[in-house]
Amino acid sequence: MARLRKDLTGKKFGRLLVIRRAENKRNRTAYWCKCDCGKECIAIGMELTRGSTKSCGCLKKELAHKMGAGTAKHRMHGSRIYKIWIAIRQRCNCKSARNYHNYGGRGIKLCTEWDDFMNFYNWAMSHGYNDSLTIDRIDVNGNYEPSNCRWADDLTQHNNRRDNVFLEFHGKKMTIAEWAKKIGIPYPTLRGRLGRGWPVEKALTTPSSTNRSFSYQGKTMGLAAWGRETGIGSGTLWARLQTGWSFERAITTPVRKIKHSQ
């Protein structure tokens, strides 16, 4: 005997009040509903009971507008600053965001004022925003709000990390970012060396492949330029030099091609 379906007439689901049964849709039980906004619509019974349908569509529009999807009024949805705002919202509010655990997961919030993109935009324009800077929280444990945010360059950002490490060398004590700027070695390179266990002295005094110049047959260029000229990748050249090859041998020895079996 066919199982009788429970009648949902008179029940409330989100903003929808079920009025009466409607003609089935796609072989599924459907109901006429009245939304709190005054509109009527047809909803699938199963979608009502499991919470996937909560309104006539007005709720989705309101949420989209609140989250900034309704961008027609400012036409900036493709701009860098708009993408920054969206990224802040995601890491503070979206549990599925890659870095949520470092932000929303730690209780860091976006202030109510900045729920509106134009409020955020107006603050940014009056507080030194330009395309070379990124947003930085002065207190790394504080919220995204006007009193705790600034536009900063990479050095300021790196110096304001929760996991900052200070290095002492020749009587000076500075962050990794400060040492990187002082000695001319890229921050990722220096941090990577220390992460691999290099002693501080070796990490700070070993030249980087990106800022060394080499001379051959009257030309002096960096490895990247030599790589373009010889067709040998700068990474390959640097690896050869690290294993004791002379520079002449490194740039004149062709890269062996690996033969694939047929």
Side-chain angles (χ1 to χ4, degrees):
M1 186 173 72
R3 185 177 61 179
L4 294 176
R5 296 181 181 275
K6 186 177 180 179
D7 189 3
L8 303 181
T9 301
K11 296 185 179 296
K12 186 80 178 285
F13 298 93
R15 296 183 177 186
L16 296 177
L17 175 65
V18 179
I19 302 172
R20 63 183 183 277
R21 282 284 299 270
E23 184 178 345
N24 288 359
K25 297 179 65 175
R26 301 185 298 276
N27 294 322
R28 294 191 293 175
T29 305
Y31 293 88
W32 271 103
C33 302
K34 186 170 184 178
C35 186
D36 287 349
C37 71
K39 292 184 180 179
E40 292 189 1
C41 64
I42 295 177
I44 302 298
M46 184 179 295
E47 293 178 355
L48 289 170
T49 56
R50 69 186 180 191
S52 55
T53 297
K54 298 179 180 180
S55 74
C56 66
C58 61
L59 178 60
K60 184 177 180 180
K61 291 179 181 178
E62 288 176 17
L63 291 175
H65 180 75
K66 186 176 181 181
M67 290 298 291
T71 58
K73 62 180 181 181
H74 52 69
R75 301 183 183 279
M76 297 185 66
H77 55 279
S79 65
R80 179 177 183 267
I81 190 169
Y82 182 78
K83 291 176 181 177
I84 290 173
W85 179 72
I86 287 294
I88 295 171
R89 295 188 66 88
Q90 289 177 339
R91 57 180 174 253
C92 288
N93 301 329
C94 183
K95 292 183 179 180
S96 61
R98 178 178 56 83
N99 50 2
Y100 174 81
H101 63 284
N102 287 326
Y103 295 89
R106 293 200 301 117
I108 294 170
K109 300 176 181 178
L110 178 68
C111 70
T112 304
E113 179 184 348
W114 284 356
D115 271 341
D116 185 296
F117 168 70
M118 288 309 299
N119 287 340
F120 175 77
Y121 174 82
N122 291 333
W123 169 85
M125 293 300 105
S126 63
H127 284 76
Y129 171 84
N130 68 59
D131 287 346
S132 68
L133 303 177
T134 53
I135 194 164
D136 179 52
R137 285 171 298 121
I138 299 167
D139 175 2
V140 295
N141 295 309
N143 294 328
Y144 282 98
E145 55 191 3
S147 62
N148 191 45
C149 289
R150 61 189 172 187
W151 295 102
D153 57 21
D154 287 343
L155 177 61
T156 303
Q157 283 271 28
H158 290 317
N159 278 335
N160 196 30
R161 294 169 60 105
R162 284 189 298 138
D163 58 350
N164 254 339
V165 175
F166 286 84
L167 307 178
E168 189 166 351
F169 182 61
H170 285 178
K172 291 185 178 181
K173 187 176 182 180
M174 296 188 291
T175 65
I176 296 176
E178 289 169 329
W179 277 114
K181 183 176 182 180
K182 181 176 179 63
I183 63 181
I185 293 178
Y187 173 83
T189 299
L190 185 53
R191 191 172 182 85
R193 290 175 174 181
L194 296 166
R196 292 192 295 272
W198 284 34
V200 172
E201 181 175 0
K202 180 182 178 182
L204 295 178
T205 58
T206 302
S208 167
S209 62
T210 60
N211 61 6
R212 281 191 62 181
S213 295
F214 298 86
S215 299
Y216 179 67
Q217 292 185 343
K219 289 185 178 181
T220 300
M221 299 186 293
L223 277 190
W226 280 114
R228 289 191 294 271
E229 178 143 321
T230 62
I232 301 172
S234 58
T236 299
L237 292 175
W238 182 245
R240 289 175 171 181
L241 295 171
Q242 290 290 87
T243 57
W245 287 32
S246 67
F247 183 68
E248 180 179 357
R249 181 188 175 195
I251 65 170
T252 57
T253 302
V255 177
R256 289 190 300 172
K257 294 184 178 179
I258 300 174
K259 293 183 178 180
H260 298 280
S261 58
Q262 300 295 322

